[in-house]
Amino acid sequence: MAGEYNGSSKASESVFKVPPIKFTKLFINGNFVDSVSGKTFEAIDPRTGEAITRVSEGDKEDIDLAVKAARQAFDHGPWPRMSGSERGRIMMKFADLIEENVEELAALDAINGGKLFSHCKAMDIPGAARNLRYYAGAADKIHGTVLKLSKGFQGYTLREPIGVVGSIIPWNFPTIMFFMKAGPALAAGCTMVVKPAEQTPLSALYYAHLAKLAGLPDGVLNVVNGFGETAGAAISSHMDIDKVTFTGSTEVGRKIMTAAAASNLKPVSLELGGKSPLLIFEDADIDQAGEICVASSRVYVQEGIYEIFVKKLVEKANAWVIGDPFDFRVNQGPQTDKKQFEKILSYIEHGKREGATLLTGGKRLGSKGFYIEPTIFTDVKEDMTIAKEEIFGPVMSLMKFKTMEEAIKRANNTTYGLAAGVITKNLNVANTVSRSIRAGIIWLNCYTAFDVDCPYGGYKMSGFGREFGLDALNQYLQIKSIVTPIHDSPWH
C-alpha cells in the first residue's frame, strides 16, 4: 500500500480544536445578509464527508444586489477617490488583521478544503497578508506617462481603475486565490464582487468580515457564495461588471469568455488548466529531484537515472503520511469534496484501462472522508487520459526520455502552457530548455516556487493575463490619453 494512513484520530477527536463557524451568510454592501431566496447549501468537512454548517446560497438576484453595491461604491464612494497612500493604509490594516487571526483562518481552509493546517498557518495565510502589503505599497505609485506629441500638442496618460470587478475563485487554494485577485484590484481602486468556490466559502466570508474591520468602505468588497452555473454565470454576463477574473478549468473559462462577449464585452483574465511537466535530467541530484517532484503530476526522467529514481520515488510514496490535516505529522489530507474524490479515482481507472502500469497506490484510504493513496503510474503514453488532462489529485505519470530535444518536444506536446520545471546542473541545458518550453513560468531546480513579485499565468489553453507582480495590477487599470494644444510654443 502506498502511503501510511494516519486515520486514527477521528474528526470529532481531532488534534486541533476547530473554532466555531462565525460567518455563513452573504456579505453585501458591508453587511452579512441572507440570500434573496433564503436557500442554503452544505459546507462539507472532507475528513468525514459530513456537513460542517450550512451557508447562504447566492443566485442572480444576490449578484445583482452585490453589483449594485459595488457600482455605487465605485461611482460615488470614497475608495477610488481617496489617495493611493490612504488605500494602502487600509490594506495594511487588513493584512495586520489577517495575521492576528491566522489560526482561525488556517483552520477554516483545513476543515472546509482539506488543506494541511500547518501549511495554511505557515504559508497560505501569511502569504495573503504579504500579498496585501505588496499591493498596498504599490497603490500610491500608479503613474501615467508624459507624451511628446507632434504638431503643437502635449499629451499624457492616466491609469484609472477599471471599475467593478467580478472575481470567481477555485477550491484548491481558497485564500491565495482570493488575495491574488483582491490585492491588485483593491490597490487599483476597483470595487469587487467575489464568488468563492462552492466547496470552500468559509474563509472568504471571514476575509469579508476582516475587510470591514480594516476600514474598507461598504460596497467595496462583496462576497456571494453560490454555484458556478447560477452565481458565477450571473457575474460573467452582468452588464454592470467591468471586468471578470477567473481561475479554474478551461471548460468554464470558455463559458465565461462567451458570456462576457455576449453581454458588455467586458475584459476577462483567465488562469486555467496546467498539466505542467517536470523534466529531470540525469545529472540531477536524485534526492533533491525526489523532493521536488512530489508537487508534479507529469514527470519526465532521463533514462540514465530512471530506474534508481523510480525506486526512490516508491520509497517516498510509501513513507507519505495521509490523514487528518490538523495532524502535524501528516503530508497529505483528504481531497476537497466527493465529486473531486470520485473524479480522481475515475482517472486512476482510466490509467489502468489504457495500459499504464500502476506502480503504487491507486485506492481509497479508509472508509470515511475523501482520502486517496499517493498513486504513481509508469509506462504512460502521451495520448493517455492521465497524461493529457489535469487531475488535481495525488496521481503522478512517470515517463522516460533519452535526449534534451525529445524532452522539449514531449513537454510541449500539450494544449496547456501554465508552468514547467527543469532539474539539471548543466547551465546550457537549463537555458535552452527554459527558453524552448511554451509556458508562462519555468522553475529551474525547484517547483511551485511562487512569489508575489513574480508574474504567473499561462500560454495556450492555460489562459491569459498574469497574477502577481505589477503586471497583475495593470490588469485592473485602464489607460486614458489626454491631449491638449500648446499655442505659440517656442519648440515642438
Side-chain angles (χ1 to χ4, degrees):
M1 183 179 77
E4 173 192 338
Y5 178 52
N6 187 22
S8 57
S9 56
K10 298 173 185 173
S12 59
E13 303 163 356
S14 177
V15 291
F16 178 86
K17 186 169 177 57
V18 178
I21 307 302
K22 296 175 182 174
F23 308 107
T24 59
K25 298 185 178 184
L26 314 180
F27 188 80
I28 298 176
N29 204 25
N31 296 294
F32 283 102
V33 296
D34 292 319
S35 59
V36 171
S37 67
K39 290 193 293 186
T40 61
F41 64 95
E42 290 182 338
I44 300 296
D45 181 347
R47 301 175 302 167
T48 62
E50 297 167 1
I52 310 162
T53 186
R54 296 190 73 87
V55 298
S56 294
E57 181 182 337
D59 208 329
K60 182 181 184 302
E61 293 78 12
D62 305 285
I63 294 295
D64 286 343
L65 291 173
V67 173
K68 183 178 179 182
R71 174 55 61 194
Q72 176 70 18
F74 184 78
D75 288 349
H76 305 290
W79 187 250
R81 290 161 188 82
M82 66 175 63
S83 68
S85 60
E86 181 63 11
R87 281 201 303 274
R89 186 190 65 79
I90 293 171
M91 292 173 68
M92 290 284 192
K93 175 63 175 172
F94 194 178
D96 291 342
L97 290 170
I98 288 171
E99 288 186 334
E100 289 170 19
N101 292 275
V102 62
E103 290 233 347
E104 196 163 352
L105 289 163
L108 291 176
D109 279 353
I111 193 175
N112 196 195
K115 295 183 67 65
L116 297 182
F117 173 74
S118 58
H119 191 277
C120 291
K121 186 178 175 182
M123 302 288 291
D124 291 22
I125 314 303
R130 280 196 303 273
N131 184 298
L132 277 172
R133 292 192 178 110
Y134 177 90
Y135 290 107
D140 62 353
K141 300 170 185 68
I142 297 170
H143 304 301
T145 55
V146 176
L147 310 172
K148 188 176 185 304
L149 306 178
S150 60
K151 299 179 182 176
F153 289 96
Q154 175 181 304
Y156 62 94
T157 62
L158 297 174
R159 288 185 175 270
E160 298 182 339
I162 201 166
V164 176
V165 174
S167 175
I168 305 173
I169 56 178
W171 47 260
N172 55 336
F173 292 96
T175 286
I176 289 173
M177 297 295 181
F178 188 104
F179 288 99
M180 186 183 278
K181 300 173 189 303
L186 293 175
C190 296
T191 59
M192 301 189 76
V193 177
V194 179
K195 192 203 85 65
E198 58 266 28
Q199 298 90 340
T200 53
L202 297 182
S203 60
L205 295 171
Y206 204 111
Y207 291 125
H209 161 69
L210 295 182
K212 173 135 186 171
L213 292 183
L216 258 74
D218 292 349
V220 171
L221 181 64
N222 306 274
V223 177
V224 180
N225 322 313
F227 294 88
E229 52 270 26
T230 51
I235 287 174
S236 305
S237 61
H238 206 289
M239 294 296 292
D240 223 9
I241 286 179
D242 300 303
K243 175 186 171 64
V244 171
T245 175
F246 169 75
T247 297
S249 71
T250 302
E251 175 192 7
V252 175
R254 288 181 189 275
K255 292 179 180 178
I256 288 171
M257 281 193 73
T258 301
S263 53
N264 60 348
L265 274 174
K266 62 179 75 64
V268 174
S269 54
L270 303 173
E271 195 255 281
L272 306 175
K275 206 61 188 173
S276 303
L278 175 62
L279 278 53
I280 303 173
F281 287 84
E282 55 193 8
D283 66 337
D285 181 310
I286 290 179
D287 290 328
Q288 179 201 30
E291 291 296 322
I292 290 171
C293 81
V294 295
S296 177
S297 66
R298 183 172 158 237
V299 180
Y300 296 91
V301 183
Q302 199 161 16
E303 60 183 4
I305 59 168
Y306 182 81
E307 298 302 331
I308 189 170
F309 183 79
V310 167
K311 184 180 177 183
K312 286 267 187 185
L313 205 54
V314 171
E315 290 172 1
K316 189 165 188 65
N318 289 334
W320 207 244
V321 181
I322 302 96
D324 190 325
F326 289 99
D327 189 333
F328 285 88
R329 297 167 295 177
V330 163
N331 302 112
Q332 177 191 310
Q335 304 310 304
T336 299
D337 68 352
K338 185 179 181 182
K339 181 180 178 183
Q340 184 61 20
F341 170 78
E342 291 176 345
K343 183 179 178 182
I344 295 165
L345 291 176
S346 170
Y347 273 116
I348 291 170
E349 291 306 309
H350 268 294
K352 290 192 283 189
R353 279 199 308 272
E354 291 178 1
T357 301
L358 181 63
L359 191 65
T360 185
K363 299 189 297 296
R364 174 180 191 162
L365 275 173
S367 58
K368 199 173 188 181
F370 308 131
Y371 297 94
I372 295 177
E373 291 177 334
T375 300
I376 302 172
F377 281 101
T378 58
D379 303 314
V380 179
K381 303 292 188 295
E382 305 291 339
D383 60 350
M384 291 182 179
T385 304
I386 57 171
K388 293 190 298 182
E389 297 184 15
E390 194 167 36
I391 297 174
F392 274 126
V395 181
M396 180 187 293
S397 295
L398 203 56
M399 292 162 276
K400 188 190 301 185
F401 70 91
K402 290 184 178 181
T403 66
M404 179 182 69
E405 291 74 19
E406 179 196 348
I408 292 168
K409 182 178 180 181
R410 293 174 69 183
N412 282 328
N413 185 25
T414 173
T415 58
Y416 296 121
L418 187 58
V422 182
I423 305 179
T424 180
K425 295 174 184 174
N426 187 317
L427 185 59
N428 291 330
V429 169
N431 284 333
T432 300
V433 175
S434 62
R435 283 160 174 75
S436 300
I437 293 179
R438 297 193 64 217
I441 186 168
I442 310 295
W443 291 298
L444 298 176
N445 295 318
C446 59
Y447 206 74
T448 62
F450 297 103
D451 188 270
V452 68
D453 198 38
C454 182
Y456 177 71
Y459 285 24
K460 300 190 281 188
M461 285 175 61
S462 289
F464 45 82
R466 291 295 179 266
E467 313 282 7
F468 293 143
L470 296 182
D471 296 86
L473 181 63
N474 290 334
Q475 291 184 154
Y476 299 96
L477 296 166
Q478 295 269 37
I479 296 178
K480 176 185 284 183
S481 298
I482 298 177
V483 178
T484 181
I486 298 181
H487 301 291
D488 303 319
S489 173
W491 50 269
H492 296 293

